Amino acid sequence: MLNPFFLQGSRSEQDLVQDLINEQLKIYGVDVYYIPRYYVNEKTIIKEVVDSEFSSAFPIEAYVDSYEGYSGQGTLLSKFGVQEFDDLTLIISKERYESYIGPLLKGKPNIKLSDRPKEGDLIYFPLGDKLFEIKYVEHEKPFYQLQKNYVYELSCELFRYQDEIIDTGVDFIDDSVAQDGYIQTLQMVGIGSTASAISSI
């Protein structure tokens, strides 16, 4: 039997836990920018997104769960050149998103699912000056403490540019895409020589 001296999920207890989590995120977290994806055009048959753009950015505090550094495969030399495969796991407050970012996106015709972070949106991570794309949003971890969830865990991968328009109005975000994205140039230096051969019978 549960302890009768605790209410086991009352609104006051849940608010206390949420406030403590918000305070911890503000102490131990970093300021990132949440950049929602605006769907400009999509095909009507299979709902495939053809054009999308990122035209706004919202600052929010996030805890870096992968504190030892980027996860993933790192920087690899592939047939397409030198590519980065960095992953990042961030934790943001559910209450902060629902009270700050959600109302700003609600009702816009080219935004889908404004109630929570969604896959496909971007996160600007200032410590590495990189854009990450949200690949999965975990909303049940930790699992229903006091019968409620308090955070979103965002599993992100380094964003790979295609034909998206990125113009958020924030200079240090837009300048990272002004060049060629994250394309790296590998310059091979070597010494050329010629060889000759003489054949006779």
Side-chain angles (χ1 to χ4, degrees), residues 38-43 48-52:
Y38 293 87
Y39 295 90
V40 178
N41 188 15
E42 64 180 3
K43 293 188 176 179
E48 179 187 4
V49 177
V50 178
D51 297 315
S52 59

Side-chain angles (χ1 to χ4, degrees), residues 31-164:
D31 284 329
V32 300
Y33 280 81
Y34 183 85
I35 307 172
R37 181 184 294 265
Y38 293 87
Y39 295 90
V40 178
N41 188 15
E42 64 180 3
K43 293 188 176 179
T44 57
I45 298 175
I46 58 175
K47 300 295 182 181
E48 179 187 4
V49 177
V50 178
D51 297 315
S52 59
E53 66 179 8
F54 302 94
S55 58
S56 58
F58 306 101
I60 190 171
E61 60 277 357
Y63 176 74
V64 183
D65 194 36
S66 50
Y67 57 88
E68 294 180 344
Y70 298 120
S71 56
Q73 300 177 7
T75 304
L76 298 177
L77 177 61
S78 68
K79 62 182 179 180
F80 301 107
V82 179
Q83 293 183 316
E84 293 187 32
F85 297 94
D86 291 334
D87 297 343
L88 187 66
T89 303
L90 299 172
I91 296 175
I92 64 172
S93 168
K94 185 176 180 181
E95 181 189 54
R96 284 278 292 137
Y97 182 90
E98 293 176 350
S99 63
Y100 167 49
I101 299 177
L104 296 175
L105 301 177
K106 190 173 183 179
K108 292 191 176 182
N110 48 1
I111 286 286
K112 297 181 179 180
L113 190 63
S114 62
D115 297 335
R116 67 165 180 86
K118 70 177 181 298
E119 294 77 3
D121 291 350
L122 301 185
I123 297 288
Y124 173 74
F125 187 62
L127 299 182
D129 192 25
K130 296 181 178 180
L131 284 172
F132 287 86
E133 183 177 1
I134 300 174
K135 291 297 183 179
Y136 181 69
V137 179
E138 175 61 65
H139 65 281
E140 292 184 327
K141 185 179 178 182
F143 191 69
Y144 292 101
Q145 293 180 343
L146 296 178
Q147 305 178 16
K148 188 181 176 183
N149 298 313
Y150 305 94
V151 296
Y152 293 116
E153 183 178 291
L154 311 178
S155 299
C156 307
E157 292 181 0
L158 195 63
F159 179 57
R160 292 173 179 82
Y161 301 99
Q162 295 176 1
D163 295 328
E164 295 90 353

Side-chain angles (χ1 to χ4, degrees), residues 15-35:
D15 290 344
L16 174 62
V17 173
Q18 184 71 72
D19 290 341
L20 290 173
I21 290 174
N22 293 348
E23 189 69 24
Q24 289 178 352
L25 289 173
K26 291 179 181 179
I27 294 173
Y28 301 111
V30 295
D31 284 329
V32 300
Y33 280 81
Y34 183 85
I35 307 172

